[in-house]
């Protein structure tokens, strides 16, 4: 992509000159990446955002310029003028796109000096907090520039694509209203109305639905969303979504639109053509076969149902689970009989953290089934198990026996950990996309003793399941909701919405929001739905996570220019910070600390 920089400062950027420019005069500006002194001749690698160019200062030709170059240190900012020369045979650098040439400097203008940096830019720095404190330096690393370019391209392609499909980019408020939608919100006190608070928008969900009531028909926004959740490796408090909503649309339209968008984004950023249509799995099948609602399909190790094998088993744990209406499932970690005692212990702990009571396993070694539970198995059970799991010498079989949810979740986590131990997903460039469909509408939260929305309260129940909603069989109601998953990471989710006032009110009721609270919290939406709200639906893709996968990094902060650290702090700005008593008084807030 040709980039033209301001000709006053430079004629070329540092990743531009080639052998074909031989003999031309060039003016370059940038940072001293490194300096080498070869018996009086000074070489510097000059760096700008685009790359590196070797600049050579020859004392015999330009003595004053070379003397000045002697004073240069890493990260000084300079401007040079010189002639493009071909590097001598044997001194070319094939790793550098400008590696065939060098610029022989005839002038050097030192624009600014740099102190020694708190950490080197050319090697890995383990201390992330140090990098984040000086993020403006960290950003000089080529890897971060590459990630920000990928992010820019993804956003650019998105805008162009959605524009082509008739979507209008509309901004919605960030200072919004506190409503129970899912995530914990950040509150912002209002100075003019004591005791009243805005909430930072956790997503433009209600606004985009109201845009549909407003007849906008197709909306999108690259939207900032704020969620006061505990940050994790791939979760942040301040995230960006590619958010969209459309009227007169069905699930298939959204799926088709998003597959096309992702195809264009991956073509632009990674230069690959991804396969469409994506695989589809129902939520039930995803859980049942892979133990996850965002399965990683880059490897097999599927969960296999073993109820028929063990229905009459002498082994109490299996038989007991089945008799109690639960399930027995197993996975075959092929070739992993050599698992260490420490790894077994880790897997057992993982199983317990997932709600299982323990983890039964069998190693198949030296033609023998090694496990304390094997003595309970009959020959025919062993034969049936061998057949069901394709067991062979060197395999490791792991079992779950409990309620369906517990078994699926446990073996799902074990499956991922085993793949990690066996390095099944290291060095793969596979991109395994899939849609997960037909999520349950509601999930029961035993801690709170109430039902909550799996996606959010505006998601439409499937028409064929409305009877279950009326009958109070909430666990059986499926939603018109869909998630898009890439390599085991949920990169987006959405749903067809409720657009009828009475159905929305009923949904709130099921969620334990009574009529009075409904008016207080969601009166605007319920009223809007009485004025001819069109059928509508939408989706939001997590831009940060998407770029994280495009850039092939597992740390989401690597794709954000100024991220908060894992404790939600901006170490560079030193935020959050204390404020003055006066500021608090103006906001009608008493400082209790
Ligand atoms: N607002 C939803 C979310 O942030 C996405 C959607 O339903 O469109 O998850």
């Amino acid at each position: 992509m040709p980039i033209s920089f301001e000709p006053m400062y430079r004629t070329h950027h540092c990743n531009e000159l080639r052998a074909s420019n031989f003999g031309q005069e060039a003016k370059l500006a940038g940072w001293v990446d490194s300096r080498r002194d070869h018996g009086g001749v000074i070489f510097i690698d000059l760096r700008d955002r685009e790359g590196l160019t070797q600049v050579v200062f020859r004392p015999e030709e330009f003595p004053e310029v070379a003397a000045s170059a002697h004073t240069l240190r890493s990260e000084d900012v300079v401007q040079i003028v010189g002639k493009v020369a071909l590097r001598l045979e044997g001194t070319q650098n094939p790793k550098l796109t400008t590696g065939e040439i060098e610029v022989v400097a005839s002038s050097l203008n030192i624009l600014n000096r740099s102190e020694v940096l708190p950490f080197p830019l050319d090697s890995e720095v383990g201390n992330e907090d140090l990098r984040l404190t000086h993020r403006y330096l960290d950003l000089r690393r080529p890897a971060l520039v590459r990630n920000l370019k990928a992010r820019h391209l993804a956003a650019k392609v998105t805008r162009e694509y959605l524009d082509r499909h008739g979507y209008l980019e509309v901004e919605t408020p960030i200072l919004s209203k506190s409503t129970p939608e899912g995530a914990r919100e950040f509150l912002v006190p209002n100075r003019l109305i004591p005791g009243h608070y805005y909430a930072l928008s956790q997503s433009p969900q209600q606004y985009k639905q109201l845009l549909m009531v407003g007849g906008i028909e197709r909306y999108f926004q690259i939207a900032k969303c704020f969620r006061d959740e505990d940050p994790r490796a791939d979760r942040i408090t301040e995230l960006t979504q590619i958010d969209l909503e459309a009227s007169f649309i069905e699930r298939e339209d959204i799926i088709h639109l998003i597959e096309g968008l992702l195809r264009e984004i991956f073509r632009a950023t990674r230069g690959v053509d991804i396969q469409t249509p994506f695989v589809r799995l129902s939520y039930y099948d995803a859980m049942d076969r892979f133990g996850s609602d965002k399965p990683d399909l880059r490897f097999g190790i599927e969960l296999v149902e073993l109820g028929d094998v063990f229905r009459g088993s002498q082994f109490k744990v299996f038989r007991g689970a089945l008799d109690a209406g639960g399930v027995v499932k197993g996975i075959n970690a092929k070739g992993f009989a050599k698992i260490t005692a420490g790894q077994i212990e880790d897997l057992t702990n993982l199983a317990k953290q997932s709600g299982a009571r323990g983890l039964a396993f069998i190693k198949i070694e030296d033609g023998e089934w090694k496990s304390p539970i094997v003595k309970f198995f009959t020959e025919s059970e062993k034969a049936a198990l061998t057949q069901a799991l394709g067991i062979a010498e060197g395999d490791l079989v792991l079992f779950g026996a409990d309620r369906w949810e517990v078994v699926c979740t446990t073996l799902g986590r074990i499956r991922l950990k085993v793949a990690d131990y066996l390095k099944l997903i290291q060095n793969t460039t596979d991109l395994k996309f899939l849609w997960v469909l037909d999520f349950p509408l509601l999930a029961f939260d035993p801690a709170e003793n109430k039902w909550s929305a799996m996606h959010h309260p505006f998601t439409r129940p499937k028409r064929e399941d409305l009877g279950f909603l009326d009958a109070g069989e909430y666990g059986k109601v499926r939603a018109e909701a869909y998630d898009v998953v890439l390599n085991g990471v949920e990169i987006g989710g959405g749903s067809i919405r409720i657009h009828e006032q009475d159905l929305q009110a009923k949904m709130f009721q099921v969620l334990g929001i009574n009529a009075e609270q409904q008016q207080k919290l969601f009166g605007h939406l319920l009223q809007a739905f009485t004025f001819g709200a069109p059928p509508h639906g939408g989706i939001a893709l997590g831009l940060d996570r998407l770029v994280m996968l495009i850039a092939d990094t597992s740390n989401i902060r690597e794709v954000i220019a100024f991220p908060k650290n894992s404790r939600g702090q901006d170490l560079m700005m030193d935020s959050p910070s204390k404020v003055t008593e006066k500021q608090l008084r103006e906001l009608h807030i008493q400082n209790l600390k």
Side-chain angles (χ1 to χ4, degrees):
M1 184 178 26
I3 299 174
S4 57
F5 279 128
E6 302 68 22
M8 298 301 283
Y9 259 107
R10 45 189 165 175
T11 54
H12 298 82
H13 61 70
C14 289
N15 192 18
E16 198 171 351
L17 294 168
R18 304 284 183 269
S20 56
N21 299 102
F22 170 66
Q24 287 175 11
E25 187 165 88
K27 202 196 289 184
L28 303 175
W31 289 261
V32 176
D33 195 66
S34 61
R35 199 200 73 173
R36 298 173 296 282
D37 190 338
H38 285 199
V41 182
I42 311 278
F43 292 89
I44 64 166
D45 282 339
L46 188 64
R47 186 193 72 237
D48 67 10
R49 194 188 75 188
E50 299 303 309
L52 293 175
T53 298
Q54 177 165 292
V55 180
V56 47
F57 298 90
R58 296 207 177 118
E60 71 280 13
E61 280 178 65
F62 304 102
E64 277 171 28
V65 178
S68 173
H70 255 288
T71 70
L72 289 177
R73 292 192 314 192
S74 286
E75 300 307 309
D76 285 346
V77 187
V78 301
Q79 179 188 42
I80 63 105
V81 181
K83 275 232 164 70
V84 180
L86 297 180
R87 293 201 202 180
L88 293 179
E89 210 41 55
T91 64
Q92 291 119 335
N93 182 353
K95 287 199 206 117
L96 220 56
T97 39
T98 59
E100 283 182 332
I101 60 101
E102 60 194 6
V103 177
V104 183
S106 52
S107 124
L108 167 65
N109 182 6
I110 300 174
L111 299 170
N112 210 348
R113 296 283 192 181
S114 174
E115 297 292 336
V116 175
L117 302 194
F119 53 87
L121 298 182
D122 57 358
S123 57
E124 283 300 310
V125 179
N127 183 346
E128 196 187 24
D129 277 359
L130 183 64
R131 289 175 52 198
L132 292 177
T133 305
H134 303 276
R135 186 61 156 185
Y136 48 85
L137 298 177
D138 203 31
L139 285 170
R140 292 184 190 170
R141 286 164 187 277
L144 280 181
V145 175
R146 202 169 50 238
N147 294 352
L148 291 183
K149 280 186 177 172
R151 191 177 176 117
H152 160 80
L153 258 185
K156 175 172 177 271
V157 166
T158 299
R159 287 201 163 91
E160 285 166 359
Y161 177 89
L162 290 175
D163 173 61
R164 248 188 290 132
H165 286 78
Y167 285 75
L168 298 187
E169 185 165 8
V170 182
E171 289 163 85
T172 55
I174 283 174
L175 291 176
S176 182
K177 171 175 170 153
S178 176
T179 58
E181 247 178 76
R184 188 200 303 265
E185 297 155 328
F186 287 100
L187 295 179
V188 181
N190 184 285
R191 180 174 57 84
L192 301 175
I193 314 171
H196 285 62
Y197 297 81
Y198 301 104
L200 296 186
S201 169
Q202 58 170 286
S203 97
Q205 186 60 38
Q206 294 182 57
Y207 292 112
K208 67 175 175 172
Q209 291 193 240
L210 291 164
L211 284 172
M212 296 305 107
V213 182
I216 299 303
E217 295 204 22
R218 290 178 181 204
Y219 140 94
F220 87 97
Q221 179 178 198
I222 298 190
K224 276 267 167 197
C225 307
F226 306 89
R227 299 177 185 177
D228 189 6
E229 291 174 306
D230 298 335
R232 292 200 313 239
D234 68 344
R235 187 174 278 185
I236 36 175
T237 49
E238 199 177 329
L239 55 139
T240 308
Q241 287 187 338
I242 299 172
D243 190 45
L244 63 92
E245 193 79 6
S247 300
F248 313 115
I249 199 163
E250 293 186 354
R251 183 181 86 182
E252 289 308 309
D253 301 308
I254 303 254
I255 286 181
H256 192 68
L257 180 82
I258 294 301
E259 288 181 352
L261 173 61
L262 288 168
R263 209 166 43 223
E264 294 206 4
I265 290 178
F266 275 82
R267 195 176 296 148
T269 55
R270 288 269 292 252
V272 294
D273 280 314
I274 59 174
Q275 289 279 317
T276 54
F278 299 165
V279 170
R280 296 180 185 196
L281 282 175
S282 67
Y283 168 84
Y284 179 84
D285 285 343
M287 292 299 295
D288 201 52
R289 290 174 51 194
F290 300 97
S292 168
D293 63 358
K294 42 179 187 301
D296 191 336
L297 299 188
R298 286 174 297 174
F299 61 96
I301 318 190
E302 284 196 31
L303 282 52
V304 177
E305 175 66 49
L306 300 170
D308 287 345
V309 178
F310 293 114
R311 195 140 323 268
S313 176
Q314 296 299 306
F315 184 40
K316 278 212 203 84
V317 176
F318 287 2
R319 177 73 182 271
L322 291 169
D323 287 350
V327 295
V328 177
K329 282 173 175 285
I331 56 174
N332 184 355
K334 281 228 134 310
F336 199 27
K338 291 268 175 290
I339 187 168
T340 66
Q343 287 170 328
I344 281 283
E345 199 181 315
D346 286 348
L347 290 184
T348 307
N349 286 335
L350 190 62
K352 287 183 180 162
Q353 283 160 20
S354 313
R357 269 160 292 194
L359 182 66
F361 63 91
I362 305 172
K363 295 181 193 181
I364 294 87
E365 264 181 327
D366 311 321
E368 247 185 86
W369 286 30
K370 296 186 180 162
S371 165
I373 65 171
V374 172
K375 60 175 180 281
F376 300 109
F377 294 177
T378 62
E379 282 311 311
S380 72
E381 282 170 353
K382 280 171 83 171
L385 190 60
T386 304
Q387 163 109 58
L389 283 166
I391 297 174
E393 173 68 20
D395 289 354
L396 169 73
V397 177
L398 299 141
F399 297 94
D402 210 308
R403 288 187 296 116
W404 178 82
E405 292 84 1
V406 174
V407 171
C408 294
T409 315
T410 304
L411 289 182
R413 288 190 188 162
I414 301 245
R415 173 180 178 266
L416 287 179
K417 190 77 192 157
V418 163
D420 184 33
Y421 286 144
L422 292 173
K423 301 192 178 13
L424 296 183
I425 41 185
Q426 263 183 13
N427 308 320
T428 72
T429 51
D430 281 1
L431 296 168
K432 294 285 186 194
F433 288 92
L434 83 144
W435 288 101
V436 180
L437 308 172
D438 300 341
F439 278 83
L441 183 71
L442 297 152
F444 189 71
D445 181 351
E448 299 247 341
N449 193 31
K450 67 188 202 50
W451 291 91
S452 63
M454 277 280 269
H455 187 46
H456 52 52
F458 317 110
T459 298
R460 187 170 197 79
K462 270 183 153 336
R463 191 182 310 125
E464 58 268 39
D465 292 350
L466 281 174
F468 294 129
L469 196 66
D470 292 335
E473 294 187 69
Y474 300 142
K476 291 192 182 158
V477 187
R478 288 165 306 159
E480 287 287 358
Y482 30 78
D483 273 2
V484 56
V485 175
L486 168 57
N487 292 353
V489 178
E490 180 203 323
I491 54 171
S495 56
I496 301 300
R497 325 295 185 190
I498 298 168
H499 61 272
E500 306 90 331
Q501 196 250 13
D502 47 353
L503 185 56
Q504 186 63 72
K506 178 169 186 138
M507 182 69 185
F508 288 141
Q509 197 70 43
V510 171
L511 296 171
I513 306 171
N514 66 29
E516 192 189 320
Q517 287 169 311
Q518 287 179 26
Q519 279 314 314
K520 224 163 121 192
L521 297 166
F522 297 107
H524 53 284
L525 195 72
L526 289 169
Q527 193 181 26
F529 283 179
T530 66
F531 295 123
H536 59 283
I539 191 166
L541 301 180
L543 181 64
D544 312 279
R545 280 195 199 168
L546 186 60
V547 178
M548 182 176 111
L549 291 162
I550 289 169
D552 204 12
T553 163
S554 55
N555 181 349
I556 204 159
R557 293 184 287 278
E558 294 292 296
V559 300
I560 300 170
F562 297 107
K564 309 272 186 291
N565 72 359
S566 58
R567 292 177 304 286
Q569 299 163 300
D570 177 341
L571 295 174
M572 183 182 71
M573 304 281 266
D574 192 18
S575 159
S577 64
K578 292 218 159 122
V579 294
T580 64
E581 287 293 332
K582 178 165 177 287
Q583 284 172 299
L584 288 179
R585 238 178 291 122
E586 279 172 358
L587 294 171
H588 321 282
I589 289 179
Q590 226 182 333
N591 199 350
L592 298 176
K593 277 259 161 126

